[in-house]
Amino acid sequence: MRSEHRVTSVRSQERGTAASATAVAHPNIALIKYWGKHDERLVIPRTDSLSLTLDIFPTTTRVQLAPEAQHDAVTLDGVPLRGEAQRRVIAFLELVRERAGSLQRAVVDTENTVPTGAGLASSASGFAALAVAASAAYGLDLDATALSRLARRGSGSASRSVFGGFALWHAGSATATAAEADLGSYAEPVPVGDIDPALVIAVVNAGPKSVSSREAMRRTVDTSPLYEAWAVSSKDDLNEMRAALHRVDLDAVGEIAERNALGMHATMLAARPAVRYFAPATLTVLDRVQQLRREGTPAYATMDAGPNVKVLCHRQDAGRVAEAVRGAVPDGTVLIAGPGPAARLLHEDGP
Ligand code: PMV
């Protein structure tokens, strides 16, 4: 498996500031989940998490400084962003400006290749691409670790999309000062040997989620009697998964991923009021995955803050797994993804 772990940054401008910069990043799927924050403002999670960056659905973001403008202008697929989505991007730009000592507004244009509403985490690729493009445009010379910390502030899972392949996000210390907590919470690549995974993605419902992951996490941490137990067992899951990756045991990786995800959903079901992302079709796919295993094909499910199911399997089995899953969701969309690359700068233009 090949993955790029460095974010390419070539800067030649005298002032160190580019008039514009364009970056690309891919979504990631967590195999050990991030669920629950210690600090909402800094986005410090309660547990470590581990993910696989995908090779499909890149997000491309261009940040162009606009010295004359009074406001930031943000579009997604050519349409101006409004409301909470717009607020999050502008808050992120404020963070970059504060660090760069700049007051200049920006024009931010993002193109998502995820089919609209496909239910794949576009905030991870979105904020990873924005972190790379905005930091270059504003002249911050950040290494991949610093970019991961920065991307985290936009969306926790974005910290992992800075890297290709498998990535581990260290939660950092809850008892530290704000500055120390920020420094300690970043992702890094997990080197693995000759492993050839695929994720078969079953989009069972492309509609917007009923409860945002932010709200669902908060409610789970505050009210679910199962949360602490999952957080404790997730530590063991992570250690076991690292060992399984080290010995290139994809079946063990899958087993651990499935139990970690089901445990996360159990914490939500026990929240008050309950958060339930499963749809009937979600269970149909989970049944089909169990059936595949009974028939001798290793396949393991994971689900995020939505009804869609991602099935981890060996690359050579991906076609068969996709066929089986397609049969379970005739109205859904089924896609096959492999390990994808790190976020990177495509180009920057001088002032
Ligand atoms: O980064 P957020 O705030 O979109 O949260 C992502 C949460 C999960 O997708 C459910 C789990 C994960 O680790 O990606």
Side-chain angles (χ1 to χ4, degrees):
M1 194 188 86
R2 218 185 80 75
S3 61
E4 297 166 41
H5 297 320
R6 300 290 307 171
V7 173
T8 319
S9 175
V10 184
R11 173 159 293 106
S12 56
Q13 279 71 43
E14 275 172 33
R15 293 190 309 154
T17 303
S20 85
T22 305
V24 63
H26 289 72
N28 72 76
I29 299 298
L31 303 177
I32 299 292
K33 301 296 184 188
Y34 147 53
W35 196 252
K37 294 183 185 69
H38 264 302
D39 186 313
E40 295 241 353
R41 188 180 66 86
L42 294 173
V43 193
I44 305 296
R46 289 187 172 250
T47 56
D48 299 344
S49 56
L50 193 152
S51 62
L52 180 64
T53 296
L54 306 184
D55 61 355
I56 57 171
F57 300 149
T59 297
T60 305
T61 297
R62 179 167 189 258
V63 176
Q64 180 163 30
L65 301 192
E68 309 296 320
Q70 300 293 314
H71 304 283
D72 297 309
V74 186
T75 67
L76 176 61
D77 297 329
V79 179
L81 273 189
R82 298 266 171 257
E84 175 63 11
Q86 181 195 34
R87 192 201 60 73
R88 280 177 73 180
V89 172
I90 293 175
F92 191 85
L93 291 173
E94 285 297 343
L95 199 62
V96 175
R97 280 193 281 263
E98 197 182 298
R99 292 185 189 184
S102 170
L103 295 172
Q104 291 191 64
R105 305 291 126 183
V107 177
V108 179
D109 296 310
T110 293
E111 301 291 335
N112 257 341
T113 54
V114 185
T116 311
L120 276 176
S122 51
S123 66
S125 52
F127 279 103
L130 181 60
V132 174
S135 57
Y138 281 96
L140 294 175
D141 196 9
L142 303 182
D143 64 14
T145 307
L147 282 168
S148 174
R149 287 190 196 102
L150 178 62
R152 188 195 80 227
R153 299 290 298 273
S155 178
S157 53
S159 65
R160 301 181 308 233
S161 271
V162 168
F163 299 98
F166 291 95
L168 166 63
W169 174 16
H170 299 281
S173 168
T175 52
T177 62
E180 285 166 351
D182 178 54
L183 268 181
S185 191
Y186 59 89
E188 65 181 4
V190 179
V192 292
D194 194 12
I195 202 163
D196 205 8
L199 270 177
V200 173
I201 298 166
V203 182
V204 304
N205 182 340
K209 40 180 105 155
S210 46
V211 188
S212 71
S213 56
R214 192 165 288 209
E215 161 58 22
M217 276 184 209
R218 191 183 298 144
R219 196 189 301 171
T220 306
V221 172
D222 289 349
T223 71
S224 174
L226 304 190
Y227 181 75
E228 280 308 322
W230 174 79
V232 169
S233 69
S234 198
K235 279 197 178 64
D236 296 335
D237 287 348
L238 179 73
N239 290 334
E240 285 183 40
M241 184 168 296
R242 294 187 76 174
L245 283 170
H246 189 69
R247 61 175 196 272
V248 194
D249 183 348
L250 191 63
D251 301 321
V253 169
E255 255 175 50
I256 300 161
E258 187 172 298
R259 74 182 187 218
N260 187 267
L262 289 170
M264 176 186 78
H265 282 275
T267 68
M268 294 181 223
L269 289 168
R272 295 159 193 188
V275 179
R276 180 177 61 83
Y277 287 118
F278 287 12
T282 310
L283 298 177
T284 309
V285 177
L286 292 181
D287 275 349
R288 192 54 66 96
V289 169
Q290 274 189 344
Q291 192 186 335
L292 276 165
R293 288 208 289 266
R294 277 198 302 273
E295 291 164 2
T297 303
Y300 304 90
T302 183
M303 292 82 55
D304 294 291
N308 305 321
V309 185
K310 295 95 183 182
V311 186
L312 184 71
C313 62
H314 293 273
R315 184 89 210 179
Q316 81 230 27
D317 295 333
R320 184 161 4 119
V321 171
E323 258 330 286
V325 167
R326 210 169 268 131
V329 282
D331 300 333
T333 309
V334 177
L335 310 147
I336 299 178
R344 71 192 168 92
L345 204 52
L346 292 179
H347 54 80
E348 47 184 346
D349 301 318

